[in-house]
Amino acid sequence: MIYVFGDLSGIAWTITLFSRGPLVVFVVVFEGMEYLPVEVIGNILSRVGAARDVVIASSTCQKWREAWRNHLHTLMFNSNDWPVYHELTRSRLEIIVTQTIFQTNGLHCLSIIMDDVDEFSAAPVIAWLMYTRETLRQLHYNVRTTPNINILEKCGRQRLEVLDLAHNTITGVEPSYQKFPCLKSLSLSYVSISALDLSLFLTACPKVEVLSLVSIDIVMSDPQAMMELTSNSLKDIYVEAISLDKIILEADSLEKLHLKDCTLEVFELVSKGSLSHLKIDDVSVIHLDIGESAEDLEIVDVSNFTIMWSKFHHMIAKSSKLKRLRLWGVVFDDEDEAVDIETISACFPQLSHLSLSYELRETALHYGSQDSFQLENVVVLELGWMVIGDLFSHWVAGLLERCPNLRKLVIYGVVSETKTHEECHTLANFTSFIVRLMRKYLHVDVQFEYE
């Protein structure tokens, strides 16, 4: 046992270190701590978060135990917080969680993230939810239950604002009964749910603003794998690792749309034009339609995506407010196509950040019939190569000429571990070329990022 004394802004304090084998526990005691209101101590314990640390800290004195019982707002069980969690049996872990939760009153946030636990019994899970449901604002839960329980039934019609659910099955949604009047954020990961139930679930959340769907198993009753979602309040949606024939999203207030690792035939967005951020990452889609939503776009970020430039440009051409455009690792459907820099200059006058990386061909050096166009407001330019060579060097030089107010240039490249003499020579020539080129642009900060 070690004692450390000090003074912090006039307040004396003591740290006691308890060492038990490899485990070291810190307990901080401030002189005059007895004058702190229990509500303040409850807030301190809530910021600690991790259940085991909260229990240890609450043992400091009777006042802290009172704060733990009556004024603790946040409690988190995470298998990464304590190695012993990995050694406990399921029944023992259920007992610990039950005893800990039942010693508190008025929890606002309950998080049970146990990656190494295959499943919990239904009975204790129901007990946890029923005990906390009247005060709970946030629930994060990622463990399967046996048998499956209807978590929506246990949490519906209460004050829940955030629901983060994983590795569970949702069936039989009844929006007339299972309403979530306060829910603002909904995250479903590795959840099995039918397209109809998901649509009904969203309808039962009239205030939801953030929706995240990751690797969900969409159960289809119709041969055509189609999903229709409608929300008047939704502002941010993230969809990852989902394969469907068709997704129709009707969201008049949507501001951010992010699709990642999805395989779709059709994605249609029906909105009144509030979309400001569009991000597409490694998505296979035959028909992408964002309708009239493009007019307010400020950020477009597309990576690892096959595009037809004329069609893609037509989709975002009305985005006169666009400030950031990123086309990274894109593949053109037509070999003769390339990003038309002159068109970008004409359509996006407010563009300040431009990021481009794709396979270059001679057509990439065709900047339009007139040499007078400029990317006046571009201050950050990011360029990446698929294959380094003279073509890339001339491309960089041509773009620099058209960015008179550029402040920062970042060049990304891939350098293989086993380089041939020719590859080393090419890289050396490019480095020399950039050194000579940047003597003309001393005001530009140049950075290199190599993988």
Side-chain angles (χ1 to χ4, degrees):
M1 184 181 297
I2 304 172
Y3 296 95
V4 182
F5 302 92
D7 181 84
L8 181 63
S9 299
I11 301 176
W13 50 270
T14 304
I15 300 180
T16 306
L17 286 77
F18 297 94
S19 178
R20 296 181 180 177
L23 184 63
V24 179
V25 178
F26 296 81
V27 176
V28 183
V29 179
F30 293 90
E31 289 188 12
M33 184 70 79
E34 65 272 13
Y35 300 112
L36 278 179
V38 288
E39 294 85 358
V40 173
I41 299 173
N43 288 332
I44 294 172
L45 292 175
S46 296
R47 290 181 179 274
V48 173
R52 174 182 168 275
D53 295 337
V54 172
V55 171
I56 293 174
S58 67
S59 64
T60 303
C61 63
Q62 183 175 351
K63 194 169 187 178
W64 280 62
R65 284 192 291 274
E66 180 187 348
W68 147 260
R69 288 193 302 269
N70 299 318
H71 300 283
L72 182 73
H73 303 309
T74 302
L75 191 60
M76 297 185 293
F77 299 87
N78 192 311
S79 54
N80 295 322
D81 289 341
W82 190 27
V84 177
Y85 280 138
H86 304 284
E87 303 171 7
L88 299 175
T89 63
R90 184 186 74 177
S91 59
R92 181 58 184 159
L93 192 55
E94 290 171 350
I95 292 171
I96 290 176
V97 174
T98 302
Q99 290 178 339
T100 306
I101 291 176
F102 278 33
Q103 291 181 63
T104 67
N105 293 299
L107 278 181
H108 290 176
C109 177
L110 176 61
S111 177
I112 302 176
I113 307 297
M114 295 291 176
D115 294 329
D116 293 340
V117 179
D118 292 331
E119 59 186 29
F120 278 142
S121 301
V125 176
I126 293 174
W128 305 336
L129 297 177
M130 296 301 291
Y131 183 78
T132 59
R133 61 181 294 184
E134 292 186 4
T135 60
L136 207 60
R137 303 288 195 278
Q138 296 185 32
L139 174 62
H140 306 264
Y141 182 73
N142 79 333
V143 186
R144 293 183 180 87
T145 54
T146 303
N148 184 63
I149 63 172
N150 192 336
I151 291 183
L152 305 190
E153 181 182 335
K154 309 304 177 187
C155 299
R157 308 182 78 87
Q158 301 299 322
R159 302 179 183 180
L160 203 64
E161 297 177 4
V162 176
L163 177 59
D164 183 354
L165 189 62
H167 301 293
N168 274 262
T169 300
I170 297 176
T171 58
V173 176
E174 294 288 346
S176 59
Y177 173 69
Q178 297 164 350
K179 285 189 177 296
F180 290 80
C182 302
L183 196 69
K184 294 182 179 180
S185 177
L186 172 62
S187 176
L188 302 178
S189 304
Y190 304 95
V191 167
S192 178
I193 186 172
S194 71
L196 176 60
D197 279 338
L198 181 56
S199 178
L200 292 173
F201 190 5
L202 204 57
T203 303
C205 307
K207 293 184 179 180
V208 68
E209 296 181 357
V210 179
L211 175 63
S212 174
L213 305 174
V214 177
S215 296
I216 59 174
D217 179 18
I218 304 294
V219 181
M220 290 295 174
S221 57
D222 193 291
Q224 184 183 18
M226 183 176 75
M227 180 169 68
E228 295 185 57
L229 302 176
T230 302
S231 173
N232 293 323
S233 58
L234 192 63
K235 295 182 179 180
D236 185 335
I237 183 170
Y238 174 75
V239 182
E240 179 181 349
I242 291 180
S243 297
L244 287 172
D245 292 341
K246 188 174 184 178
I247 295 180
I248 300 176
L249 174 62
E250 187 172 343
D252 287 340
S253 303
L254 194 68
E255 297 175 0
K256 182 177 180 181
L257 169 63
H258 186 178
L259 303 177
K260 181 178 180 181
D261 296 336
C262 293
T263 302
L264 309 167
E265 290 189 11
V266 177
F267 183 93
E268 292 183 11
L269 173 62
V270 181
S271 179
K272 290 183 177 179
S274 57
L275 188 68
S276 62
H277 191 165
L278 173 64
K279 186 170 184 178
I280 303 172
D281 183 8
D282 198 11
V283 173
S284 174
V285 59
I286 297 174
H287 178 70
L288 176 64
D289 183 8
I290 60 173
E292 300 299 321
S293 302
E295 294 185 4
D296 289 329
L297 277 174
E298 296 183 6
I299 300 173
V300 173
D301 185 341
V302 179
S303 57
N304 305 310
F305 186 62
T306 300
I307 65 173
M308 183 182 295
W309 172 248
S310 58
K311 194 173 181 180
F312 180 78
H313 169 259
H314 177 74
M315 184 177 70
I316 65 171
K318 296 181 180 179
S319 309
S320 59
K321 301 177 183 178
L322 195 69
K323 297 178 181 178
R324 293 173 179 260
L325 176 62
R326 183 174 184 266
L327 303 175
W328 208 260
V330 296
V331 177
F332 295 103
D333 192 53
D334 187 339
E335 291 186 358
D336 295 328
E337 282 191 318
V339 175
D340 189 338
I341 305 297
E342 184 179 15
T343 303
I344 288 178
S345 173
C347 293
F348 314 129
Q350 297 185 33
L351 193 68
S352 61
H353 287 64
L354 178 61
S355 305
L356 300 173
S357 174
Y358 49 87
E359 186 177 352
L360 294 175
R361 301 183 180 88
E362 292 294 337
T363 51
L365 300 182
H366 176 65
Y367 295 107
S369 56
Q370 301 179 6
D371 294 331
S372 59
F373 79 89
Q374 301 277 294
L375 296 165
E376 293 282 354
N377 292 315
V378 172
V379 293
V380 177
L381 181 62
E382 297 179 316
L383 303 173
W385 72 62
M386 299 289 189
V387 178
I388 191 173
D390 293 339
L391 193 60
F392 181 75
S393 300
H394 293 308
W395 185 57
V396 172
L399 286 172
L400 276 173
E401 288 180 7
R402 284 157 179 82
C403 301
N405 297 308
L406 192 69
R407 298 175 189 168
K408 184 177 181 180
L409 170 66
V410 185
I411 295 177
Y412 294 83
V414 178
V415 180
S416 60
E417 293 183 5
T418 55
K419 295 175 286 295
T420 64
H421 176 73
E422 183 179 356
E423 288 174 331
C424 292
H425 182 68
T426 301
L427 184 59
N429 286 342
F430 172 72
T431 304
S432 299
F433 175 83
I434 291 296
V435 170
R436 292 193 301 270
L437 177 66
M438 296 315 296
R439 288 171 183 164
K440 296 170 54 180
Y441 305 97
L442 296 178
H443 62 286
V444 178
D445 177 25
V446 185
Q447 297 180 12
F448 296 88
E449 296 283 346
Y450 291 158
E451 296 180 8

